[in-house]
Amino acid sequence: MRTGPLWIRWTGAVDGRVRVEAGRHHDFVLEVSDRPFDGPPPDPGLCWQETEHGWREAVPDCLDTLVPDDARHAYSVLTGLTSGTGGMVAAATTSLPERAKLGGDYDYRYAWIRDQCYVGQAVATHQPHRLMDDAVRFVANG
């Protein structure tokens, strides 16, 4: 597919329909590029392995905390909300009205310096981590 300057390739359903049996899984791959695709689609199994490896590298095991699973989840969410420039999205919502029928449309796609500082301090109390470095860099360059 193509839309404007973007090339899009979706693989995983040859005829547009897929039946997945209970207990099984099926992978779809969506690719978006600014140039035509010149090779075969990526292997979904390899993509999952690379994604899992990337998250293992980005998120500490947190076994030294009281609630390791919750702490890992927090690291994962905060990492996912952090841009390449270090700015962290203030909320994972966009354009949600605050009150019905009042015409208010507030866009939450911004980063708050205060929140960046809280994240930096929280992560610093646990261990050195890229999220702390990102927060410091973002605030210092802000």
Side-chain angles (χ1 to χ4, degrees):
M1 296 177 272
R2 185 147 187 218
T3 179
L6 299 177
W7 296 84
I8 301 168
R9 178 165 58 182
W10 182 56
T11 54
V14 175
D15 63 358
R17 296 189 300 178
V18 172
R19 180 182 170 95
V20 180
E21 300 295 326
R24 308 270 308 170
H25 74 274
H26 184 83
D27 293 312
F28 295 98
V29 178
L30 177 64
E31 298 171 83
V32 180
S33 178
D34 60 355
R35 54 187 157 261
F37 300 103
D38 59 359
D43 174 78
L46 182 58
C47 290
W48 278 116
Q49 288 175 5
E50 291 173 357
T51 299
E52 290 168 352
H53 174 75
W55 279 107
R56 276 193 301 276
E57 292 293 313
V59 178
D61 64 24
C62 300
L63 295 175
D64 57 343
T65 67
L66 291 175
V67 284
D69 290 342
D70 291 344
R72 282 185 55 77
H73 184 255
Y75 269 102
S76 297
V77 170
L78 294 172
T79 298
L81 291 175
T82 301
S83 73
T85 62
M88 183 180 302
V89 177
T93 59
T94 59
S95 302
L96 296 176
E98 293 292 320
R99 295 190 180 170
K101 299 180 184 177
L102 292 181
D105 189 15
Y106 303 94
D107 194 343
Y108 287 105
R109 290 176 289 173
Y110 54 83
W112 284 32
I113 299 294
R114 177 199 66 189
D115 294 353
Q116 289 283 165
C117 292
Y118 287 151
V119 169
Q121 290 174 341
V123 171
T125 62
H126 180 230
Q127 66 181 26
H129 190 270
R130 193 189 87 220
L131 282 174
M132 183 182 69
D133 297 337
D134 289 342
V136 170
R137 184 177 67 253
F138 182 78
V139 172
N141 294 335

